[in-house]
Amino acid sequence: MSQTTPELSDCYDVLACGFGPASLALAIALVEPSPNPTPTYSSLGGLQEALGRASSPDKDAQRSRAAERGPLKACFIEKQEQFKWHPGMMLEGSNMQISFLKDLATLRNPQSAYTFLVYLASFTPSRLVSYISRETFTPSRREFSDYLAWAARKVEGDLATQGGQVAFGEEVVAVEAVVGNESSDVRILKVTSRDVKTGATTERFTRNIVLSTGGSPRLPHHLSTPDIEASGRVIHSSAFLDRIHPALDSLTAPLPASRALRVAVLGAGQSAAETFLALRDAIASHLPADVEHRPQIDLLIRSATLRPADDSASTNEVFDPGMSQAVYGVDSTGRSVMLQAAKATNYSVANPHTLAAMYETLYAQQVEVDIATRDNASFAKINRDPKLAIRPFIELTGARPPASADAPLTLELWHSATSLRSSDEYDLVICGTG
Ligand SMILES: Cc1cc2nc3c(=O)[nH]c(=O)nc-3n(C[C@H](O)[C@H](O)[C@H](O)COP(=O)(O)OP(=O)(O)OC[C@H]3O[C@@H](n4cnc5c(N)ncnc54)[C@H](O)[C@@H]3O)c2cc1C
């Protein structure tokens, strides 16, 4: 609790911790006039009605109050030094999982200057027609991330004209209530951030706070012991691109001729599936031309098979704009029922196209092995193509750090279908574990 009472003019109307896509969409909504009337959308699967759609606020009344009040002064604090959207997973060839029409602005205001279509048209010559010729709703992740960065740069300027700012390179470290002299009501919050380079702290005051810090990488607890973390042999998928090549450099240089490099990927979701496939090229690029043993990449999954994400039209209504308000309006039991029902859209499931690509890759590898075996041909080329394998029904029950710098680490595994246990050695573990 802080007793410092700031001048009201020093106070922001809104301060957001984090400047990812959620905050970016909010920033755009704060600088753009809302359309009149506010769009409302049909909901054919009945979900919103079931949760009590009537609880939606009167947006037109909100808009007229906003017009009377004038522009809000907003601050966004972001610990990264510039706008970046999941840079550790910007894998070549990866695509968005949702339609570009669900961009930062279209559903709030189809005429916004911040839509993906306006971004495409911002190039000279415009990429709009070429994009249309692709006949797809899903841009590459590379292109969409550039769209987000474009919107971030644009909104920074618009926020500044309203007295707002985006503070990059600062991490929010504390939020405190400020108690005024005349009343014990908390009307203002003090937000402290630390400069990620210098450590210097800054205090700001705000009437409203938005927490949009995204998720935090989750490692299985067996792999988050100090010994194992210090070994550098466990990489969370969110840091995949930053860490995979240095890790492979240090592992492949001293790789003993007596054994193959072995890498495990844990998880059955989209990130696990994508890193599993990406490891094939990443490892191949580090192998000596005369590698003797074929590297092995195992995808360890708890379930029997990888499951496709449910992307059907009525299931997708879970993500309709009106759903946030509908879910907000129900009690905690209703919310957990809803979250459970929505799991098949996002958790431990992968995009059907990724699953198809994975099966095709496994099949193509089998074709090469079958032909070489039948013809008694050299395996030199095959050895340079890491073997991908899926290991179902595997539960991680323990782990031991490597005994030396070039030794593997040991995973204790329980095979749920047979109740057998095994100790398996891997040089590197990638966690696509959420
Ligand atoms: C690889 C990958 C692909 C995805 N693809 C899709 C997709 O195709 N479609 C889809 O709908 N969703 C997708 N998602 C889901 C993803 O959660 C959303 O796309 C989106 O990133 C969520 O935005 P956000 O702003 O809530 O969180 P984030 O994007 O995580 O942003 C949060 C921001 O807050 C910052 N931050 C955190 N703590 C602090 C602090 N204390 N101080 C200051 N700043 C802080 C972080 O640095 C970060 O920039 C994907 C996720 C991943 C990992």
PDB file of all heavy atoms in Angstrom, residues 17-23 77-80 84-86 89 95-98 141 170-172 212-215 271, ligand 1:
ATOM      1  N   CYS A  17      -0.111  -4.192 -18.407  1.00  0.00           N
ATOM      2  CA  CYS A  17       1.163  -4.909 -18.227  1.00  0.00           C
ATOM      3  C   CYS A  17       1.247  -5.921 -19.350  1.00  0.00           C
ATOM      4  O   CYS A  17       0.445  -6.849 -19.416  1.00  0.00           O
ATOM      5  CB  CYS A  17       1.191  -5.664 -16.909  1.00  0.00           C
ATOM      6  SG  CYS A  17       0.790  -4.658 -15.513  1.00  0.00           S
ATOM      7  N   GLY A  18       2.227  -5.750 -20.232  1.00  0.00           N
ATOM      8  CA  GLY A  18       2.371  -6.639 -21.383  1.00  0.00           C
ATOM      9  C   GLY A  18       1.827  -5.961 -22.623  1.00  0.00           C
ATOM     10  O   GLY A  18       0.812  -5.240 -22.561  1.00  0.00           O
ATOM     11  N   PHE A  19       2.533  -6.136 -23.730  1.00  0.00           N
ATOM     12  CA  PHE A  19       2.077  -5.560 -25.002  1.00  0.00           C
ATOM     13  C   PHE A  19       2.158  -6.645 -26.076  1.00  0.00           C
ATOM     14  O   PHE A  19       2.870  -6.539 -27.058  1.00  0.00           O
ATOM     15  CB  PHE A  19       2.935  -4.337 -25.347  1.00  0.00           C
ATOM     16  CG  PHE A  19       2.380  -3.478 -26.458  1.00  0.00           C
ATOM     17  CD1 PHE A  19       1.103  -2.951 -26.386  1.00  0.00           C
ATOM     18  CD2 PHE A  19       3.152  -3.193 -27.576  1.00  0.00           C
ATOM     19  CE1 PHE A  19       0.598  -2.153 -27.410  1.00  0.00           C
ATOM     20  CE2 PHE A  19       2.667  -2.393 -28.609  1.00  0.00           C
ATOM     21  CZ  PHE A  19       1.379  -1.874 -28.522  1.00  0.00           C
ATOM     22  N   GLY A  20       1.428  -7.737 -25.825  1.00  0.00           N
ATOM     23  CA  GLY A  20       1.264  -8.786 -26.832  1.00  0.00           C
ATOM     24  C   GLY A  20       0.019  -8.464 -27.649  1.00  0.00           C
ATOM     25  O   GLY A  20      -0.538  -7.358 -27.547  1.00  0.00           O
ATOM     26  N   PRO A  21      -0.467  -9.427 -28.448  1.00  0.00           N
ATOM     27  CA  PRO A  21      -1.636  -9.161 -29.290  1.00  0.00           C
ATOM     28  C   PRO A  21      -2.867  -8.694 -28.517  1.00  0.00           C
ATOM     29  O   PRO A  21      -3.621  -7.851 -29.018  1.00  0.00           O
ATOM     30  CB  PRO A  21      -1.901 -10.515 -29.956  1.00  0.00           C
ATOM     31  CG  PRO A  21      -0.577 -11.202 -29.946  1.00  0.00           C
ATOM     32  CD  PRO A  21       0.132 -10.747 -28.715  1.00  0.00           C
ATOM     33  N   ALA A  22      -3.073  -9.193 -27.290  1.00  0.00           N
ATOM     34  CA  ALA A  22      -4.272  -8.789 -26.540  1.00  0.00           C
ATOM     35  C   ALA A  22      -4.224  -7.296 -26.232  1.00  0.00           C
ATOM     36  O   ALA A  22      -5.188  -6.554 -26.474  1.00  0.00           O
ATOM     37  CB  ALA A  22      -4.385  -9.605 -25.252  1.00  0.00           C
ATOM     38  N   SER A  23      -3.071  -6.836 -25.719  1.00  0.00           N
ATOM     39  CA  SER A  23      -2.936  -5.410 -25.416  1.00  0.00           C
ATOM     40  C   SER A  23      -2.940  -4.569 -26.681  1.00  0.00           C
ATOM     41  O   SER A  23      -3.448  -3.444 -26.694  1.00  0.00           O
ATOM     42  CB  SER A  23      -1.626  -5.154 -24.668  1.00  0.00           C
ATOM     43  OG  SER A  23      -1.809  -5.389 -23.304  1.00  0.00           O
ATOM     44  N   ILE A  77       3.159  -1.377 -20.894  1.00  0.00           N
ATOM     45  CA  ILE A  77       4.541  -1.679 -20.487  1.00  0.00           C
ATOM     46  C   ILE A  77       4.887  -3.084 -20.952  1.00  0.00           C
ATOM     47  O   ILE A  77       4.169  -4.046 -20.651  1.00  0.00           O
ATOM     48  CB  ILE A  77       4.697  -1.572 -18.954  1.00  0.00           C
ATOM     49  CG1 ILE A  77       4.261  -0.182 -18.490  1.00  0.00           C
ATOM     50  CG2 ILE A  77       6.135  -1.859 -18.542  1.00  0.00           C
ATOM     51  CD1 ILE A  77       4.386   0.044 -16.996  1.00  0.00           C
ATOM     52  N   GLU A  78       5.985  -3.200 -21.696  1.00  0.00           N
ATOM     53  CA  GLU A  78       6.359  -4.485 -22.301  1.00  0.00           C
ATOM     54  C   GLU A  78       7.821  -4.791 -21.990  1.00  0.00           C
ATOM     55  O   GLU A  78       8.698  -3.967 -22.227  1.00  0.00           O
ATOM     56  CB  GLU A  78       6.134  -4.412 -23.822  1.00  0.00           C
ATOM     57  CG  GLU A  78       6.723  -5.560 -24.616  1.00  0.00           C
ATOM     58  CD  GLU A  78       6.251  -6.941 -24.163  1.00  0.00           C
ATOM     59  OE1 GLU A  78       5.039  -7.165 -24.049  1.00  0.00           O
ATOM     60  OE2 GLU A  78       7.128  -7.800 -23.904  1.00  0.00           O
ATOM     61  N   LYS A  79       8.074  -6.000 -21.484  1.00  0.00           N
ATOM     62  CA  LYS A  79       9.456  -6.301 -21.085  1.00  0.00           C
ATOM     63  C   LYS A  79      10.384  -6.577 -22.273  1.00  0.00           C
ATOM     64  O   LYS A  79      11.591  -6.402 -22.168  1.00  0.00           O
ATOM     65  CB  LYS A  79       9.493  -7.443 -20.072  1.00  0.00           C
ATOM     66  CG  LYS A  79       9.026  -8.770 -20.576  1.00  0.00           C
ATOM     67  CD  LYS A  79       9.067  -9.804 -19.451  1.00  0.00           C
ATOM     68  CE  LYS A  79       8.473 -11.116 -19.919  1.00  0.00           C
ATOM     69  NZ  LYS A  79       8.366 -12.096 -18.870  1.00  0.00           N
ATOM     70  N   GLN A  80       9.830  -7.002 -23.407  1.00  0.00           N
ATOM     71  CA  GLN A  80      10.698  -7.176 -24.578  1.00  0.00           C
ATOM     72  C   GLN A  80      11.086  -5.791 -25.105  1.00  0.00           C
ATOM     73  O   GLN A  80      10.347  -4.831 -24.925  1.00  0.00           O
ATOM     74  CB  GLN A  80       9.980  -7.947 -25.677  1.00  0.00           C
ATOM     75  CG  GLN A  80       9.523  -9.338 -25.250  1.00  0.00           C
ATOM     76  CD  GLN A  80       8.962 -10.122 -26.423  1.00  0.00           C
ATOM     77  OE1 GLN A  80       9.665 -10.883 -27.057  1.00  0.00           O
ATOM     78  NE2 GLN A  80       7.693  -9.922 -26.719  1.00  0.00           N
ATOM     79  N   LYS A  84       7.429  -8.346 -30.329  1.00  0.00           N
ATOM     80  CA  LYS A  84       7.755  -9.653 -30.919  1.00  0.00           C
ATOM     81  C   LYS A  84       6.668 -10.621 -30.505  1.00  0.00           C
ATOM     82  O   LYS A  84       6.284 -10.646 -29.329  1.00  0.00           O
ATOM     83  CB  LYS A  84       9.089 -10.167 -30.373  1.00  0.00           C
ATOM     84  CG  LYS A  84      10.301  -9.532 -30.986  1.00  0.00           C
ATOM     85  CD  LYS A  84      11.533 -10.275 -30.518  1.00  0.00           C
ATOM     86  CE  LYS A  84      12.778  -9.450 -30.710  1.00  0.00           C
ATOM     87  NZ  LYS A  84      13.822  -9.833 -29.781  1.00  0.00           N
ATOM     88  N   TRP A  85       6.211 -11.425 -31.454  1.00  0.00           N
ATOM     89  CA  TRP A  85       5.146 -12.393 -31.146  1.00  0.00           C
ATOM     90  C   TRP A  85       5.736 -13.801 -31.172  1.00  0.00           C
ATOM     91  O   TRP A  85       6.087 -14.304 -32.214  1.00  0.00           O
ATOM     92  CB  TRP A  85       4.012 -12.249 -32.168  1.00  0.00           C
ATOM     93  CG  TRP A  85       2.867 -13.173 -31.919  1.00  0.00           C
ATOM     94  CD1 TRP A  85       2.093 -13.227 -30.803  1.00  0.00           C
ATOM     95  CD2 TRP A  85       2.370 -14.176 -32.809  1.00  0.00           C
ATOM     96  NE1 TRP A  85       1.140 -14.207 -30.938  1.00  0.00           N
ATOM     97  CE2 TRP A  85       1.284 -14.798 -32.166  1.00  0.00           C
ATOM     98  CE3 TRP A  85       2.727 -14.604 -34.089  1.00  0.00           C
ATOM     99  CZ2 TRP A  85       0.555 -15.832 -32.750  1.00  0.00           C
ATOM    100  CZ3 TRP A  85       2.004 -15.632 -34.671  1.00  0.00           C
ATOM    101  CH2 TRP A  85       0.931 -16.228 -34.005  1.00  0.00           C
ATOM    102  N   HIS A  86       5.870 -14.402 -30.013  1.00  0.00           N
ATOM    103  CA  HIS A  86       6.404 -15.759 -29.858  1.00  0.00           C
ATOM    104  C   HIS A  86       7.593 -16.027 -30.791  1.00  0.00           C
ATOM    105  O   HIS A  86       7.549 -16.942 -31.622  1.00  0.00           O
ATOM    106  CB  HIS A  86       5.309 -16.804 -30.096  1.00  0.00           C
ATOM    107  CG  HIS A  86       4.152 -16.683 -29.141  1.00  0.00           C
ATOM    108  ND1 HIS A  86       4.321 -16.685 -27.772  1.00  0.00           N
ATOM    109  CD2 HIS A  86       2.828 -16.526 -29.350  1.00  0.00           C
ATOM    110  CE1 HIS A  86       3.151 -16.548 -27.183  1.00  0.00           C
ATOM    111  NE2 HIS A  86       2.222 -16.436 -28.107  1.00  0.00           N
ATOM    112  N   MET A  89       9.199 -19.529 -31.593  1.00  0.00           N
ATOM    113  CA  MET A  89       8.470 -20.554 -32.350  1.00  0.00           C
ATOM    114  C   MET A  89       8.143 -20.073 -33.768  1.00  0.00           C
ATOM    115  O   MET A  89       7.188 -20.536 -34.382  1.00  0.00           O
ATOM    116  CB  MET A  89       7.171 -20.918 -31.623  1.00  0.00           C
ATOM    117  CG  MET A  89       7.364 -21.889 -30.484  1.00  0.00           C
ATOM    118  SD  MET A  89       7.894 -23.534 -31.048  1.00  0.00           S
ATOM    119  CE  MET A  89       6.379 -24.152 -31.757  1.00  0.00           C
ATOM    120  N   ASN A  95       2.024 -21.966 -39.995  1.00  0.00           N
ATOM    121  CA  ASN A  95       0.887 -21.125 -40.373  1.00  0.00           C
ATOM    122  C   ASN A  95       0.031 -20.764 -39.180  1.00  0.00           C
ATOM    123  O   ASN A  95       0.066 -21.443 -38.155  1.00  0.00           O
ATOM    124  CB  ASN A  95       0.006 -21.858 -41.395  1.00  0.00           C
ATOM    125  CG  ASN A  95       0.675 -21.908 -42.747  1.00  0.00           C
ATOM    126  OD1 ASN A  95       1.356 -20.957 -43.152  1.00  0.00           O
ATOM    127  ND2 ASN A  95       0.533 -23.018 -43.426  1.00  0.00           N
ATOM    128  N   MET A  96      -0.763 -19.710 -39.356  1.00  0.00           N
ATOM    129  CA  MET A  96      -1.730 -19.328 -38.331  1.00  0.00           C
ATOM    130  C   MET A  96      -2.781 -20.429 -38.180  1.00  0.00           C
ATOM    131  O   MET A  96      -3.101 -21.133 -39.137  1.00  0.00           O
ATOM    132  CB  MET A  96      -2.429 -18.027 -38.735  1.00  0.00           C
ATOM    133  CG  MET A  96      -1.545 -16.820 -38.690  1.00  0.00           C
ATOM    134  SD  MET A  96      -0.894 -16.524 -37.053  1.00  0.00           S
ATOM    135  CE  MET A  96      -2.369 -16.071 -36.141  1.00  0.00           C
ATOM    136  N   GLN A  97      -3.317 -20.524 -36.969  1.00  0.00           N
ATOM    137  CA  GLN A  97      -4.341 -21.539 -36.704  1.00  0.00           C
ATOM    138  C   GLN A  97      -5.742 -20.961 -36.870  1.00  0.00           C
ATOM    139  O   GLN A  97      -6.720 -21.676 -36.707  1.00  0.00           O
ATOM    140  CB  GLN A  97      -4.201 -22.071 -35.267  1.00  0.00           C
ATOM    141  CG  GLN A  97      -2.807 -22.543 -34.904  1.00  0.00           C
ATOM    142  CD  GLN A  97      -2.373 -23.712 -35.738  1.00  0.00           C
ATOM    143  OE1 GLN A  97      -3.161 -24.605 -36.004  1.00  0.00           O
ATOM    144  NE2 GLN A  97      -1.137 -23.689 -36.190  1.00  0.00           N
ATOM    145  N   ILE A  98      -5.820 -19.655 -37.099  1.00  0.00           N
ATOM    146  CA  ILE A  98      -7.144 -19.042 -37.213  1.00  0.00           C
ATOM    147  C   ILE A  98      -7.196 -18.147 -38.451  1.00  0.00           C
ATOM    148  O   ILE A  98      -6.165 -17.772 -38.999  1.00  0.00           O
ATOM    149  CB  ILE A  98      -7.485 -18.171 -35.983  1.00  0.00           C
ATOM    150  CG1 ILE A  98      -6.325 -17.226 -35.681  1.00  0.00           C
ATOM    151  CG2 ILE A  98      -7.839 -18.994 -34.778  1.00  0.00           C
ATOM    152  CD1 ILE A  98      -6.749 -15.995 -34.972  1.00  0.00           C
ATOM    153  N   ARG A 141       2.769 -17.771 -40.177  1.00  0.00           N
ATOM    154  CA  ARG A 141       3.001 -17.106 -38.887  1.00  0.00           C
ATOM    155  C   ARG A 141       3.970 -15.939 -39.075  1.00  0.00           C
ATOM    156  O   ARG A 141       3.875 -14.922 -38.409  1.00  0.00           O
ATOM    157  CB  ARG A 141       3.551 -18.121 -37.890  1.00  0.00           C
ATOM    158  CG  ARG A 141       3.061 -17.860 -36.492  1.00  0.00           C
ATOM    159  CD  ARG A 141       3.619 -18.872 -35.532  1.00  0.00           C
ATOM    160  NE  ARG A 141       2.851 -20.082 -35.473  1.00  0.00           N
ATOM    161  CZ  ARG A 141       3.351 -21.255 -35.120  1.00  0.00           C
ATOM    162  NH1 ARG A 141       4.602 -21.375 -34.787  1.00  0.00           N
ATOM    163  NH2 ARG A 141       2.589 -22.312 -35.082  1.00  0.00           N
ATOM    164  N   GLU A 170      10.775  -2.727 -20.355  1.00  0.00           N
ATOM    165  CA  GLU A 170      10.521  -2.563 -18.914  1.00  0.00           C
ATOM    166  C   GLU A 170       9.634  -3.708 -18.438  1.00  0.00           C
ATOM    167  O   GLU A 170       8.631  -4.019 -19.083  1.00  0.00           O
ATOM    168  CB  GLU A 170       9.791  -1.241 -18.641  1.00  0.00           C
ATOM    169  CG  GLU A 170      10.636  -0.015 -18.850  1.00  0.00           C
ATOM    170  CD  GLU A 170       9.862   1.256 -18.505  1.00  0.00           C
ATOM    171  OE1 GLU A 170       9.057   1.236 -17.559  1.00  0.00           O
ATOM    172  OE2 GLU A 170      10.059   2.257 -19.220  1.00  0.00           O
ATOM    173  N   GLU A 171      10.006  -4.293 -17.307  1.00  0.00           N
ATOM    174  CA  GLU A 171       9.198  -5.381 -16.755  1.00  0.00           C
ATOM    175  C   GLU A 171       8.434  -4.869 -15.539  1.00  0.00           C
ATOM    176  O   GLU A 171       9.033  -4.274 -14.631  1.00  0.00           O
ATOM    177  CB  GLU A 171      10.110  -6.542 -16.340  1.00  0.00           C
ATOM    178  CG  GLU A 171       9.321  -7.684 -15.737  1.00  0.00           C
ATOM    179  CD  GLU A 171      10.146  -8.942 -15.553  1.00  0.00           C
ATOM    180  OE1 GLU A 171      11.393  -8.858 -15.632  1.00  0.00           O
ATOM    181  OE2 GLU A 171       9.536  -9.997 -15.324  1.00  0.00           O
ATOM    182  N   VAL A 172       7.133  -5.089 -15.527  1.00  0.00           N
ATOM    183  CA  VAL A 172       6.338  -4.670 -14.363  1.00  0.00           C
ATOM    184  C   VAL A 172       6.702  -5.581 -13.194  1.00  0.00           C
ATOM    185  O   VAL A 172       6.637  -6.808 -13.311  1.00  0.00           O
ATOM    186  CB  VAL A 172       4.828  -4.755 -14.673  1.00  0.00           C
ATOM    187  CG1 VAL A 172       4.005  -4.483 -13.419  1.00  0.00           C
ATOM    188  CG2 VAL A 172       4.465  -3.772 -15.778  1.00  0.00           C
ATOM    189  N   SER A 212      -2.202  -8.284 -19.054  1.00  0.00           N
ATOM    190  CA  SER A 212      -2.227  -9.088 -20.288  1.00  0.00           C
ATOM    191  C   SER A 212      -0.814  -9.588 -20.540  1.00  0.00           C
ATOM    192  O   SER A 212      -0.171  -9.237 -21.516  1.00  0.00           O
ATOM    193  CB  SER A 212      -2.762  -8.277 -21.460  1.00  0.00           C
ATOM    194  OG  SER A 212      -2.081  -7.059 -21.554  1.00  0.00           O
ATOM    195  N   THR A 213      -0.371 -10.400 -19.595  1.00  0.00           N
ATOM    196  CA  THR A 213       1.016 -10.864 -19.608  1.00  0.00           C
ATOM    197  C   THR A 213       1.171 -12.214 -20.310  1.00  0.00           C
ATOM    198  O   THR A 213       2.269 -12.769 -20.336  1.00  0.00           O
ATOM    199  CB  THR A 213       1.552 -10.970 -18.164  1.00  0.00           C
ATOM    200  OG1 THR A 213       0.593 -11.689 -17.404  1.00  0.00           O
ATOM    201  CG2 THR A 213       1.754  -9.605 -17.547  1.00  0.00           C
ATOM    202  N   GLY A 214       0.084 -12.750 -20.865  1.00  0.00           N
ATOM    203  CA  GLY A 214       0.173 -14.022 -21.593  1.00  0.00           C
ATOM    204  C   GLY A 214       0.446 -15.179 -20.648  1.00  0.00           C
ATOM    205  O   GLY A 214       0.282 -15.073 -19.433  1.00  0.00           O
ATOM    206  N   GLY A 215       0.869 -16.300 -21.219  1.00  0.00           N
ATOM    207  CA  GLY A 215       1.140 -17.486 -20.396  1.00  0.00           C
ATOM    208  C   GLY A 215       2.612 -17.566 -20.035  1.00  0.00           C
ATOM    209  O   GLY A 215       3.434 -16.828 -20.567  1.00  0.00           O
ATOM    210  N   SER A 271       2.704 -27.179 -30.445  1.00  0.00           N
ATOM    211  CA  SER A 271       4.120 -26.809 -30.335  1.00  0.00           C
ATOM    212  C   SER A 271       4.998 -28.051 -30.338  1.00  0.00           C
ATOM    213  O   SER A 271       6.071 -28.065 -30.959  1.00  0.00           O
ATOM    214  CB  SER A 271       4.377 -26.014 -29.056  1.00  0.00           C
ATOM    215  OG  SER A 271       3.657 -24.823 -29.101  1.00  0.00           O
TER     216      SER A 271
HETATM  217  C1  LIG B   1       3.746 -20.768 -31.246  1.00  0.00           C
HETATM  218  C2  LIG B   1       2.387 -20.222 -30.970  1.00  0.00           C
HETATM  219  C3  LIG B   1       1.478 -20.051 -32.011  1.00  0.00           C
HETATM  220  C4  LIG B   1       0.208 -19.555 -31.760  1.00  0.00           C
HETATM  221  N1  LIG B   1      -0.646 -19.418 -32.801  1.00  0.00           N
HETATM  222  C5  LIG B   1      -1.884 -18.939 -32.571  1.00  0.00           C
HETATM  223  C6  LIG B   1      -2.804 -18.775 -33.649  1.00  0.00           C
HETATM  224  O1  LIG B   1      -2.493 -19.093 -34.793  1.00  0.00           O
HETATM  225  N2  LIG B   1      -4.024 -18.273 -33.365  1.00  0.00           N
HETATM  226  C7  LIG B   1      -4.377 -17.920 -32.090  1.00  0.00           C
HETATM  227  O2  LIG B   1      -5.487 -17.451 -31.887  1.00  0.00           O
HETATM  228  N3  LIG B   1      -3.534 -18.078 -31.059  1.00  0.00           N
HETATM  229  C8  LIG B   1      -2.309 -18.577 -31.266  1.00  0.00           C
HETATM  230  N4  LIG B   1      -1.452 -18.737 -30.219  1.00  0.00           N
HETATM  231  C9  LIG B   1      -1.921 -18.407 -28.852  1.00  0.00           C
HETATM  232  C10 LIG B   1      -1.325 -17.095 -28.295  1.00  0.00           C
HETATM  233  O3  LIG B   1      -1.528 -17.154 -26.923  1.00  0.00           O
HETATM  234  C11 LIG B   1      -1.963 -15.859 -28.876  1.00  0.00           C
HETATM  235  O4  LIG B   1      -1.678 -15.809 -30.231  1.00  0.00           O
HETATM  236  C12 LIG B   1      -1.445 -14.511 -28.338  1.00  0.00           C
HETATM  237  O5  LIG B   1      -0.037 -14.476 -28.331  1.00  0.00           O
HETATM  238  C13 LIG B   1      -1.985 -14.166 -26.978  1.00  0.00           C
HETATM  239  O6  LIG B   1      -1.703 -12.794 -26.773  1.00  0.00           O
HETATM  240  P1  LIG B   1      -1.460 -12.162 -25.348  1.00  0.00           P
HETATM  241  O7  LIG B   1      -1.216 -10.714 -25.571  1.00  0.00           O
HETATM  242  O8  LIG B   1      -2.563 -12.561 -24.443  1.00  0.00           O
HETATM  243  O9  LIG B   1      -0.175 -12.898 -24.763  1.00  0.00           O
HETATM  244  P2  LIG B   1       1.335 -12.909 -25.263  1.00  0.00           P
HETATM  245  O10 LIG B   1       1.423 -12.994 -26.727  1.00  0.00           O
HETATM  246  O11 LIG B   1       2.014 -13.968 -24.467  1.00  0.00           O
HETATM  247  O12 LIG B   1       1.894 -11.487 -24.813  1.00  0.00           O
HETATM  248  C14 LIG B   1       2.108 -11.146 -23.458  1.00  0.00           C
HETATM  249  C15 LIG B   1       3.189 -10.094 -23.421  1.00  0.00           C
HETATM  250  O13 LIG B   1       3.350  -9.663 -22.080  1.00  0.00           O
HETATM  251  C16 LIG B   1       4.738  -9.461 -21.829  1.00  0.00           C
HETATM  252  N5  LIG B   1       4.943  -9.549 -20.375  1.00  0.00           N
HETATM  253  C17 LIG B   1       4.754 -10.635 -19.583  1.00  0.00           C
HETATM  254  N6  LIG B   1       5.001 -10.326 -18.294  1.00  0.00           N
HETATM  255  C18 LIG B   1       5.346  -9.016 -18.269  1.00  0.00           C
HETATM  256  C19 LIG B   1       5.714  -8.110 -17.230  1.00  0.00           C
HETATM  257  N7  LIG B   1       5.762  -8.473 -15.950  1.00  0.00           N
HETATM  258  N8  LIG B   1       6.028  -6.837 -17.563  1.00  0.00           N
HETATM  259  C20 LIG B   1       5.984  -6.429 -18.853  1.00  0.00           C
HETATM  260  N9  LIG B   1       5.650  -7.244 -19.876  1.00  0.00           N
HETATM  261  C21 LIG B   1       5.322  -8.514 -19.587  1.00  0.00           C
HETATM  262  C22 LIG B   1       5.414 -10.566 -22.625  1.00  0.00           C
HETATM  263  O14 LIG B   1       6.765 -10.254 -22.922  1.00  0.00           O
HETATM  264  C23 LIG B   1       4.538 -10.615 -23.887  1.00  0.00           C
HETATM  265  O15 LIG B   1       5.029  -9.794 -24.915  1.00  0.00           O
HETATM  266  C24 LIG B   1      -0.183 -19.226 -30.437  1.00  0.00           C
HETATM  267  C25 LIG B   1       0.719 -19.396 -29.392  1.00  0.00           C
HETATM  268  C26 LIG B   1       1.996 -19.888 -29.652  1.00  0.00           C
HETATM  269  C27 LIG B   1       2.952 -20.086 -28.505  1.00  0.00           C
END
